[in-house]
Amino acid sequence: METRPGNDRTELLGMNLQELEIVVENLQLPRFTAKQLARWIYVKRCSDFNAMSDISQKGREILADRCVIGLSAAIKTSKSADGSKKYLFAARHGFVESVYIPEKDRATLCISSQAGCRMGCKFCATGGMGFKGNLSAGEIINQVLSVEESDRLTNIVYMGMGEPLDNLPAVMKSMEILQAPYASAMSYKRITLSTVGIIPALKRFLDESSCHVAISVHAASPEKRALIVPAEKAYPVKEVVALLREYDWSHQRRISFEYTLLGNVNDSTQDAIELAALVKGIDCRINLIPYHDSGRGGFSPSSAEATEKFIKILEQKHINTTVRRSRGKDIDAACGMLSAKQTNKRNA
């Protein structure tokens, strides 16, 4: 169980119902207090024990003395001209960012699982930060509960800062709580995890979760991918795809492959042919992502002509292909741009 640095009070955010029951039992409070706490924290997003009106006054005093809720507001909010918003949160190991993306039929929050990242992808600003530390389940959930749009979110994507499968225990626990009926009760169909493909953790995730998966490919050629995504050396994309072929993708769970188009690097006809061959026979979607300048790697976006040609080749191979629309580029919130570098300003 988590405790706040510098004191011995137990942090409740990030606990599941069973853990909350242990807390209230240790505090000699009624067992049903655990469900009350879960509702106040995860449903009502309450950050003050005194406001928990259905818990006895004595119970609230005991909880305030021995526990801390753990919810914390963003320290900065940036709004894009396109309506998306970037939130900056303080975590134990540094700062992390989340991005809210409103659309006509959905409201998506892109959340972080780590401060920084170990994967070092060459086009990604987060990769340039290095690894600062894993987020706890509570720090992950805090992003969902503390954005202004929390009560209208329809989708959660673990595509922010960090590699989710490099922090699998906390990520899985956060997903468990988000889906729990006593908490957010979000359907697994509304949650997607993005990963470069850490194979042992990916297998566990596929076996224990029904949430959607997005694999960061960025090049189908092993040699070329290793130059862009260093994790290729430890977890070859061909082995990742071989693992995926062991699972059924024809029903509720979806698999997609993310591919950032880099001008004159991975956007040739041959690159498209190799990508099509890599995913052949899998019921999937290819998400082509425009490159957003992160200040790393010296890359440039693919030309419109190269992008159209790439799409045409994939469609000729009968592969469902979309181009992700850039959102939040003007506030450094688009794919590959998160770095939590603005820590000294509030509510820009």
Side-chain angles (χ1 to χ4, degrees), residues 10-145:
T10 300
E11 181 169 322
L12 303 182
L13 183 66
M15 288 188 178
N16 58 30
L17 185 59
Q18 293 72 29
E19 290 169 325
L20 290 173
E21 288 174 344
I22 292 172
V23 169
V24 301
E25 180 181 350
N26 289 340
L27 296 177
Q28 297 184 326
L29 295 174
R31 185 181 179 89
F32 61 76
T33 307
K35 286 187 177 181
Q36 294 172 314
L37 283 170
R39 185 177 71 255
W40 281 108
I41 296 171
Y42 296 120
V43 180
K44 295 181 177 293
R45 307 173 191 90
C46 179
S47 59
D48 183 358
F49 288 115
N50 287 327
M52 298 181 180
S53 55
D54 59 354
I55 297 177
S56 70
Q57 179 66 35
K58 181 180 179 180
R60 282 178 272 165
E61 290 173 357
I62 291 172
L63 286 165
D65 181 61
R66 300 285 298 277
C67 301
V68 61
I69 294 171
L71 285 168
S72 59
I75 62 173
K76 180 186 175 186
T77 303
S78 304
K79 188 167 184 178
S80 169
D82 64 26
S84 56
K85 292 169 72 173
K86 183 170 70 172
Y87 289 90
L88 180 71
F89 291 97
R92 287 173 177 81
H93 300 291
F95 296 91
V96 297
E97 292 175 326
S98 310
V99 181
Y100 170 69
I101 307 168
E103 297 174 274
K104 184 185 300 184
D105 59 345
R106 65 178 59 194
T108 301
L109 187 69
C110 180
I111 62 175
S112 296
S113 55
Q114 296 178 314
C117 186
R118 280 187 245 262
M119 300 301 106
C121 297
K122 300 302 182 183
F123 56 86
C124 177
T126 308
M129 294 174 58
F131 177 68
K132 308 300 181 184
N134 285 327
L135 300 190
S136 66
E139 289 172 326
I140 295 172
I141 293 171
N142 183 65
Q143 299 168 73
V144 179
L145 300 184

Side-chain angles (χ1 to χ4, degrees), residues 239-254:
E239 293 184 16
V240 173
V241 173
L243 173 62
L244 296 172
R245 291 184 186 279
E246 298 176 10
Y247 295 82
D248 182 5
W249 302 100
S250 61
H251 298 295
Q252 299 296 329
R253 175 188 258 179
R254 295 195 306 269

Side-chain angles (χ1 to χ4, degrees), residues 183-221:
S184 301
M186 178 168 279
S187 169
Y188 68 87
K189 300 175 186 178
R190 299 289 185 173
I191 301 175
T192 300
L193 178 143
S194 176
T195 175
V196 298
I198 298 178
I199 293 173
L202 178 59
K203 178 170 175 51
R204 179 184 164 191
F205 179 77
L206 294 173
D207 288 340
E208 298 181 15
S209 170
S210 297
C211 296
H212 304 314
V213 182
I215 303 296
S216 296
V217 178
H218 310 305
S221 158

